[in-house]
Amino acid sequence: KGRMEQRGKVRQYQAPAWTKSTLPTPPPPHRACLGHWPSPIQATPSLFDGVEMWVKRDDEGSLLSSGNKSRKLEFLMADAIDKRHDLVLTIGGVQSNHCRSTIVAAKEMGLSSCVVLRTDCSPEQLGLEGNLLIARMLGADIRLVSTADYRKKGWRGVLEDTAELLRKEGKNPYVIPLGGSNAIGSWGYIEAINEIIGQMKEHNHHFDDIVLSVGSGGTAAGLGIGIALSELKGQVKLHAFCASDDKNYFTKEIDEIAESLGVAQKTDELVEIYDQWKGIGYALSTEEELQFLIDVARTTGIIFDPVYNGKALYGLAQEIKKNGEYWKGRKVLFLHTGGFYGMYAKTEQLMPLLPPATEVQTLPSLP
């Protein structure tokens, strides 16, 4: 169906009925209109032998293919407006999908934005690749923090210092954590579980497992809490593959979000976390991983980014090989959380893996 809608508006939020009897904390009162939901669920029967694979295409959600960031930002932006802030501030890596998505969302909501990017590049060396191109086209206020300072102060400390600088400049910043991952942002994926339940009922289909990449913890927390508190409890298992850090780090982050929402369950009751398939480091790819993503693209027609979804899908492929008895015959829903623009930062690595230019043919001149 065609859409006519008002983007960038805040509306009343009606939480899923099942949250009212299971969550002791009240839901957010408002939600911004930033996405096209429900996102489609696409069958990918040729992906893995013996496993019924489906992909939930949150990458098609909106905000320039922002994926899971859109869902979290719908609640974070509404909260910023409810509290009368004039600017949103957040932080991420130099090719951060979250920072780019926050800039776009702020534009739609009529707010200013400032993003802090972790890099050892000088401003002159930043370039115009991937998410950086979008951020600079949108006129974002970009500030840089070195890797050493980031490690020394942590992302929370860097944000606090930057927020204080902005206040001295006369701004009233609303601080959005790394990845938009906090109690408010996690409502995006508590709501997404309600969406998935509706799609399962509509199509008379069931999933045994939901798989995703975890980069800051908020998406995994929202999904895990949604499963634990809804009718999917005991029926669907959640699997999260680390794109960075390790299981201990994400256990702490998810525990904090669950606790702030008044959820009694701990992380190990909500999600199984895998940290052995993140490869050589955050946003770093091996030739084997990139070749895997090329093969998947040619098999399914879906591009999985190399930073988050690609790592998780590659990790899932290894787990299926390793523990085939568990995965055989299971119905698996893979959550595609976006991040397509990260592929543009890999062009040099991808070039030797793709057909050479000599294989491209020029049509003969027409008479």
Side-chain angles (χ1 to χ4, degrees), residues 7 34 61-66 69-70 73 100-101 104-105 108:
R7 298 292 297 278
L34 296 173
S62 74
L63 291 181
L64 301 178
S65 301
S66 292
K69 312 301 185 281
S70 301
L73 286 166
R100 181 256 306 160
S101 302
V104 178
E108 292 202 5

Side-chain angles (χ1 to χ4, degrees), residues 81-332:
I81 288 171
D82 283 346
K83 293 174 179 174
R84 301 184 181 279
H85 291 270
D86 58 6
L87 177 147
V88 291
L89 166 67
T90 197
I91 191 168
V94 71
Q95 280 290 339
S96 171
N97 297 304
H98 164 67
C99 287
R100 181 256 306 160
S101 302
T102 300
I103 295 163
V104 178
K107 289 290 182 184
E108 292 202 5
M109 302 305 299
L111 298 171
S112 298
S113 64
C114 175
V115 297
V116 181
L117 302 182
R118 181 186 67 251
T119 179
D120 290 323
C121 292
S122 67
E124 295 75 24
Q125 296 171 319
L126 271 183
L128 290 171
E129 291 181 329
N131 287 310
L132 270 174
L133 172 62
I134 306 300
R136 296 180 70 178
M137 284 182 68
L138 291 168
D141 179 353
I142 299 173
R143 310 198 183 192
L144 307 182
V145 61
S146 69
T147 304
D149 285 345
Y150 183 92
R151 287 175 178 165
K152 180 181 176 182
K153 303 213 72 171
W155 63 261
R156 290 177 176 86
V158 174
L159 279 180
E160 287 170 9
D161 289 351
T162 309
E164 186 57 34
L165 287 173
L166 290 167
R167 291 185 192 104
K168 289 177 180 177
E169 295 172 12
K171 300 292 185 180
N172 180 23
Y174 178 86
V175 178
I176 296 176
L178 182 73
S181 292
N182 61 9
I184 295 170
S186 69
W187 270 96
Y189 275 91
I190 295 174
E191 175 62 36
I193 285 295
N194 198 50
E195 180 178 301
I196 291 169
I197 290 171
Q199 289 174 304
M200 289 167 62
K201 289 180 177 178
E202 181 183 357
H203 298 285
N204 193 28
H205 195 81
H206 173 74
F207 294 109
D208 301 305
D209 305 272
I210 297 176
V211 177
L212 76 153
S213 171
V214 57
S216 57
T219 300
L223 289 172
I225 291 166
I227 290 170
L229 301 184
S230 71
E231 63 193 72
L232 299 186
K233 182 179 181 179
Q235 299 182 38
V236 177
K237 185 171 182 179
L238 184 64
H239 309 260
F241 288 80
C242 297
S244 61
D245 298 295
D246 57 23
K247 183 174 181 177
N248 290 335
Y249 173 83
F250 289 113
T251 295
K252 181 176 178 292
E253 294 296 313
I254 295 170
D255 276 347
E256 286 184 5
I257 292 172
E259 184 179 348
S260 64
L261 287 171
V263 175
Q265 288 93 334
K266 295 295 185 181
T267 297
D268 59 1
E269 300 173 82
L270 301 174
V271 55
E272 183 167 355
I273 299 174
Y274 305 78
D275 60 7
Q276 64 269 48
W277 305 116
K278 59 188 177 183
I280 56 177
Y282 175 71
L284 302 176
S285 302
T286 65
E287 181 178 313
E288 181 180 350
E289 289 168 351
L290 292 176
Q291 185 61 60
F292 171 79
L293 297 184
I294 292 169
D295 294 342
V296 167
R298 291 176 176 177
T299 301
T300 66
I302 303 173
I303 303 295
F304 292 87
D305 76 287
V307 179
Y308 296 102
N309 297 284
K311 295 269 189 181
L313 194 66
Y314 179 82
L316 176 60
Q318 308 316 306
E319 284 295 321
I320 290 172
K321 291 177 186 176
K322 180 181 172 184
N323 300 307
E325 285 303 310
Y326 172 82
W327 294 97
K328 185 177 180 180
R330 295 182 75 85
K331 298 175 174 65
V332 179

Side-chain angles (χ1 to χ4, degrees), residues 342-361:
M343 192 64 80
Y344 290 105
K346 300 290 182 183
T347 51
E348 287 188 14
Q349 273 189 278
L350 286 166
M351 197 70 98
L353 303 178
L354 297 172
T358 53
E359 292 188 16
V360 178
Q361 299 183 36

